[in-house]
Amino acid sequence: MKSQDIAIVGILLAVGAIVRYLSLVIPGPIVSNLVIAFYCLAIILVMPIFTEVIGIGIVAGIVCALLSHSIFPPANLISEPVGAVACLVT
């Protein structure tokens, strides 16, 4: 992956983390997870190989686990790489 692609993925994940944090501050029954939308957009724009997609999913899972109000946040470390691979396959 080129450094330009890494920068695009990093910026999109950072923006997703900021939007997720801001959505957690605003009270409501449903909290949106725009990190998923942004890593899917990154995968569509960059078209990485399978191992790079797993890496993107792991980083997104860590971001989601840190900014989560769920009962079991480490589940994001499993679900986000699976979602990233599903985005690559479809």
Side-chain angles (χ1 to χ4, degrees):
M1 188 181 294
K2 297 186 297 187
S3 60
Q4 181 180 5
D5 296 339
I6 295 171
I8 290 170
V9 172
I11 289 170
L12 285 172
L13 287 177
V15 170
I18 292 169
V19 172
R20 179 156 171 85
Y21 177 74
L22 292 177
S23 70
L24 290 174
V25 173
I26 300 169
I30 298 174
V31 178
S32 63
N33 190 355
L34 289 178
V35 174
I36 296 171
F38 281 110
Y39 75 68
C40 286
L41 180 62
I43 291 170
I44 291 169
L45 288 174
V46 175
M47 288 302 296
I49 61 174
F50 183 77
T51 55
E52 295 169 347
V53 169
I54 296 291
I56 292 170
I58 290 171
V59 171
I62 292 170
V63 168
C64 289
L66 292 175
L67 300 172
S68 179
H69 284 215
S70 67
I71 296 171
F72 188 64
N76 289 319
L77 297 174
I78 298 169
S79 67
E80 301 303 326
V82 170
V85 170
C87 179
L88 178 69
V89 171
T90 57

